Every structure is written in C-alpha cells, then in structure tokens.
Amino acid sequence: MIDHRLGEEHEALRDSVRTFARKEVAPVIGDYYEREAFPYPLVRTMGAMGLFGLPIAEEHGGMGGDYFALCLALEELARIDSSLAITLEAGVSLGAMPIARFGNDEQRRTWLPKLCTAEVLGAFGLTEPGGGSDAGATRTTAVLDGDQWVLNGSKAFITNSGTDITGFVTATAVTGSKPDGGKEISTIIVPSGTPGFHVAPKYSKVGWNASDTHELSFDDCRVPAANLLGERGRGYAQFLSILSEGRIAIAALGTGLAQGCVDECLRYAGEREAFGHRIGEYQAIRFKIADMELRANNARLAYYDAASRMLRGEPFRKQAALAKLTSSDAAMDNARDATQIFGGYGFMNETPVGRFYRDAKILEIGEGTSEVQRMLIARELGL
C-alpha cells in the first residue's frame, strides 16, 4: 500500500525548517527583497543548520541524507520566501551536486566541505545569452593549451554567481568535435577571481529579488587542466542528469509557493471583513481557496512520486517533468488567486502574496520551460 507519511527524520527536518522560516525568515525577508539585497545572515544560519549539505555524504562534510530531504526543506522555505529557497536549491542541486556526482577525489576534498556549510557557494554555468532552452547550442569554448584550459564565451541568468561567498562556477564549454561532427561539450570548474572571469552587475529582476543572479563572461580565462569536471566530452550528459534531479527540487519549491498562498489566504479570509462579514464566509472565496489547496496538494504528490522513484533507482525523467510542470502551474494559478483575494493589498510588495505573484512566473521558465517539460513528457510517452 502506498504510504506518503514522512519518517521521523524527515518529519523532524521539515519541522525545524518550518520553524526557522516562520520565526527567522518571515520577519526580515521583505526588507531584503525590497532592497534587492542578498540575505547573508540567513544563508549562514542555513549553513549552520546543515541544509546546504543535506544530500551530501558525511565523509565530504554533508549530512548524509537524501535528495527528498532537500526537497522538504525547499518546500518549507518557499512557503515563506522563494529567494532564499532558490539560493539553497541552486547552492545544492546546481552547485554541490555536480562536484559530488562527477568530481574526482581532490575536487571533492577541495570544495564539498565548504559547500556543505555555505562557507562558499557554487554556481551552475549552462545557459547562454543566445541559447536559452537549447542547452546544446553552447558557444563558450575551452581550448587545452599545455596544462591549462583557455575559456572564451559567456553565460546568462546564473544564480549564486556573484555573491561575496561564491567560490566557483562549473561552466559547460565546447572542447572539440565528436567523430560525427557534433560538439564535444565538457564541464570545467572556474574559481572566482580567476583572471579573465568577469561577473557583470546583478540583473534587475521581476522576482526572486533577494537572490543573486548575473551574466558571466570568459575572456582568455585560464584554469588548470585538472579543473575538468568528470569525463571530457560528457559535460552535456552530466548537466542533463543534474537538471532532471533539479526539476524535482524546483517542483518542491513551486509547491511551497503554492501552499504559502493558501496559508496567507486562510489567515486573511479570517480577518478581512467586507459588507459586514468576514470574507471567508463567502462561497466565492471559500471555493477559490479550496481550488488553491487542491493545486498545492497535487503538486506535492507529483514531486513526492518523482523523488521516490529517483531514490529507488528507477527511471524518473517523466515524473520529474510532470512534477515541475504541475507545481509551476499551481504556483502561478495560486499566486494569481491569492492576489485577487487580497485585492489592493495583494498588489503591494509589503505583503507576502505580492512577492509570491512576482516570484511565481520564473517557475514556468527556469530549469526547463513549461514547453520543454511538455516536450519531455511527450517524448517519454513515445511521441
């Protein structure tokens, strides 16, 4: 019989992150958001809690947990704020996991202990200005010159790439040609501060305003040949596997945002009065909130299913795409309905639902657009 109840460890983790999010994040995150400032104190606390090392082995400084534990933490954070949640998601699934999955012993010893405590953050350099969803259209190049790689090119929309604690970016680059004439794409670790590695000023974004996002460029940037991550020519395949896992994490984040909208509307519906009654007494509001809870619940079941398949070692690509698509739709729909329930107050950035509305849209774009998810689902169905 299917049992979606959490075990004691997962339950304890969820409760601790929920308490942290409500007591420490909720009172201050609005100020960071409005100032478009990176919340270093909160990130340090999350590092001390072990959240950045949840799915990393203890021998590398992590908590020795599983990927589902990370998803639970992301859902609870996103119920309060998505900027902090995406900082954790990118720091772990896009920053640490490539090193843990594909790094050699020296790379793991060098980076993982620092990544697990958030002493440093890693960034994931895949997307390029002219590529977008077409990750195979990589134009950044890396030429082996003696015992060094020489990189030239640029990356766009890279999370955690320009903070004071960013330690490196793992960048995909064309390192040659395959026998069939196609691109040989490899992954190379580029430490922050390397000459020729430039971080542009942060973007002015619609949402996720307390997270860090930049365009990057490489201008004859030289790094040791030993900075190759994994096998030469396997960079594209490596990042595709990382993205499949990351979609489950983003689905958890989207579920959290969708549930956060429900939380806020339940509170508001019990306080706000109109025409002599609390608005929660009106059927129109009740039905709208019921639909919001339905979406959040469906999104949660979808990412639970994808995560459980991944942890059992079963194929999960289709389920990850289903979860990501379901949760991003739920987040967008719930943010819109929550804003409508709040009325004019929902259009104010000082309210959580105002931030939810601004944060929800990127979930239909980042880590694979909704169109890409539909393409993947159809392909897995044999179409």
Side-chain angles (χ1 to χ4, degrees), residues 52-74:
F52 282 88
L54 280 171
I56 307 298
E58 292 182 15
E59 64 184 289
H60 299 307
M63 299 294 288
D66 54 34
Y67 206 82
F68 182 57
L70 171 65
C71 292
L72 290 174
L74 291 170

Side-chain angles (χ1 to χ4, degrees), residues 83-303:
S83 293
L84 203 58
I86 193 58
T87 298
L88 176 63
E89 192 278 334
V92 179
S93 70
L94 303 182
M97 292 308 291
I99 304 294
R101 290 269 193 269
F102 311 115
N104 57 38
D105 289 342
E106 179 62 26
Q107 291 165 345
R108 289 170 178 162
R109 282 194 299 268
T110 298
W111 294 112
L112 286 180
K114 299 176 183 178
L115 291 166
C116 289
T117 60
E119 179 182 344
V120 301
L121 295 176
F124 177 90
L126 175 64
T127 304
E128 299 194 353
S133 295
D134 186 6
T138 300
R139 304 175 77 174
T140 296
T141 61
V143 177
L144 195 58
D145 181 18
D147 62 352
Q148 293 184 321
W149 290 106
V150 183
L151 285 83
N152 284 279
S154 60
K155 301 292 180 178
F157 316 126
I158 309 302
T159 304
N160 291 346
S161 59
T163 73
D164 294 343
I165 56 175
T166 298
F168 64 89
V169 57
T170 50
T172 52
V174 179
T175 53
S177 299
K178 295 180 178 180
D180 62 3
K183 296 178 180 178
E184 175 194 84
I185 298 178
S186 305
T187 308
I188 298 170
I189 302 171
V190 183
S192 300
T194 301
F197 175 27
H198 305 290
V199 180
K202 65 182 181 181
Y203 290 105
S204 175
K205 297 175 294 186
V206 171
W208 285 0
N209 283 352
S211 71
D212 178 80
T213 319
H214 298 261
E215 183 173 355
L216 311 176
S217 62
F218 307 98
D219 184 12
D220 287 334
C221 176
R222 291 177 173 267
V223 299
N227 283 24
L228 177 70
L229 181 63
E231 182 182 346
R232 178 170 176 171
R234 293 287 298 167
Y236 185 59
Q238 291 170 7
F239 273 98
L240 286 181
S241 67
I242 290 294
L243 284 174
S244 291
E245 295 179 359
R247 287 181 181 122
I248 304 176
I250 290 294
L253 191 157
T255 300
L257 191 155
Q259 191 66 58
C261 290
V262 176
D263 297 341
E264 289 299 313
C265 287
L266 285 173
R267 177 189 60 78
Y268 191 69
E271 298 174 353
R272 171 69 167 168
E273 291 190 0
F275 305 104
H277 297 274
R278 290 181 294 111
I279 63 172
E281 297 178 26
Y282 295 110
Q283 189 180 74
I285 300 298
R286 289 180 171 184
F287 280 11
K288 197 178 288 290
I289 295 176
D291 286 341
M292 293 166 64
E293 176 70 8
L294 172 66
R295 297 181 195 119
N297 185 70
N298 288 344
R300 184 175 299 106
L301 292 175
Y303 95 72

